[in-house]
Amino acid sequence: MNFLAIDVETANADYSSICQIGIAEFKNGQIIDKWSVLINPEDYFDPFNVSIHGIGEKDVKNAPTFKEIYNELKKRIEGEISIHHMPFDRIAINRACETYGLDYLQPKWLDSAKIVRRTWEEFAYSGYGLSNIAKHLNINFEHHDALEDAVAAGMVVKKACEITNLSIEEWFKRVGQPIFLYKKNSSNIYLEGNPEGQLYGENIVFTGSLSIPRSEAGIIASKIGCKVTNSVSKTTTMLVVGFQDTTKLAGYEKSSKHRKAEELIDKGAKIRILSENDFVEICNLHEEN
């Protein structure tokens, strides 16, 4: 479990106005090195920012500029797995590079907020800020000190690796997948829809055999916004019907899910019954958009 955790503070709302950087290096899950530096952003200090991190113009008067610490920062993080909690720190470093005409640094960026959302179900869609998750895990730290924040982010990732049994390398793949995945060897399907998907708010159920594994179909539906469940109910809005094996229908022409959907439709429920081809066309349409 080897990685770096990095955090920055800025002097004002301009992301490039970095006034502090903190880095914690973890090896086998243990902190082996810490590095913190105040930086003269060559920019003004907004009182609001100062009230958050306590760093003012007088504190950085004799501090190096970002350009002057660039090579040291590059030596530390280039090519290394570098944890940052939400996009701010990564964007700030890139913006500072742009301001000074420097090449972007090339660490292997990994957002710990995405890890949190996939580890703790209660923080999947809200409450995954660093302070909140650290409090949940009893990690004590001085928030808005760059080094303290970096250490806390690293400790959160360490805990997530222990809980999920995923290595830090495996997390690179996991953060690119939907927040909720199917449980191994389970026939029950439950996936939340992507809030940014164009079909967010739709509740979809699959029945019958599909041309692809149902787990894959569910993940596709989830990405475009559909909530995926295993049972037809009053909240269902879409039923996708695959090939029906008559030997498994107990004498009926349609599956129990199909029949339940039709019963609910007769009672006024707004459920669309689709073929797999219809489902594929809908997915293609919304992926293009």
Side-chain angles (χ1 to χ4, degrees), residues 12-33:
N12 55 59
D14 187 335
Y15 279 28
S16 69
S17 65
I18 296 175
C19 61
Q20 186 188 26
I21 297 179
I23 296 176
E25 182 177 357
F26 288 74
K27 186 172 183 180
N28 297 323
Q30 302 300 316
I31 298 174
I32 63 167
D33 188 34

Side-chain angles (χ1 to χ4, degrees), residues 30-166:
Q30 302 300 316
I31 298 174
I32 63 167
D33 188 34
K34 296 178 181 179
W35 182 67
S36 178
V37 59
L38 290 175
I39 296 173
N40 185 340
E42 299 185 294
D43 205 344
Y44 75 96
F45 278 78
D46 189 309
F48 176 76
N49 290 56
V50 175
S51 71
I52 292 175
H53 51 56
I55 301 169
E57 187 174 351
K58 67 179 186 303
D59 299 305
V60 301
K61 183 178 180 180
N62 297 316
T65 64
F66 181 84
K67 185 176 182 179
E68 290 170 333
I69 63 94
Y70 173 81
N71 287 334
E72 175 66 20
L73 182 60
K74 182 176 182 178
K75 182 175 71 173
R76 287 178 176 273
I77 74 172
E78 191 87 356
E80 301 292 335
I81 297 173
S82 297
I83 302 297
H84 58 98
H85 199 83
M86 297 201 283
F88 172 78
D89 307 283
R90 176 179 182 176
I91 294 172
I93 289 173
N94 286 342
R95 294 279 174 82
C97 289
E98 291 171 0
T99 296
Y100 287 99
L102 302 168
D103 292 336
Y104 284 157
L105 297 171
Q106 300 294 332
K108 300 173 184 176
W109 294 115
L110 183 58
D111 189 342
S112 53
K114 292 182 178 181
I115 293 176
V116 168
R117 298 178 68 191
R118 287 157 177 78
T119 302
W120 291 277
E121 183 175 344
E122 61 268 43
F123 301 122
Y125 296 111
S126 64
Y128 48 83
L130 182 59
S131 179
N132 201 46
I133 185 62
K135 181 178 180 181
H136 177 73
L137 298 176
N138 294 316
I139 297 172
N140 296 316
F141 73 115
E142 185 180 336
H143 199 18
H144 296 302
D145 173 89
L147 182 57
E148 291 268 324
D149 285 1
V151 170
M155 295 298 292
V156 167
V157 170
K158 174 186 175 182
K159 188 65 175 178
C161 290
E162 292 171 349
I163 289 175
T164 62
N165 289 320
L166 293 177

Side-chain angles (χ1 to χ4, degrees), residues 187-190 204-206 214 228-232 257:
S187 61
N188 291 325
I189 303 173
Y190 185 90
I204 194 169
V205 175
F206 295 95
R214 194 177 293 182
V228 186
T229 60
N230 198 50
S231 304
V232 173
K257 293 179 184 178

Side-chain angles (χ1 to χ4, degrees), residues 245-260:
D245 184 348
T246 56
T247 64
K248 298 180 180 179
L249 296 180
Y252 292 98
E253 294 182 358
K254 301 175 182 179
S255 71
S256 59
K257 293 179 184 178
H258 196 159
R259 300 196 307 274
K260 178 67 176 294

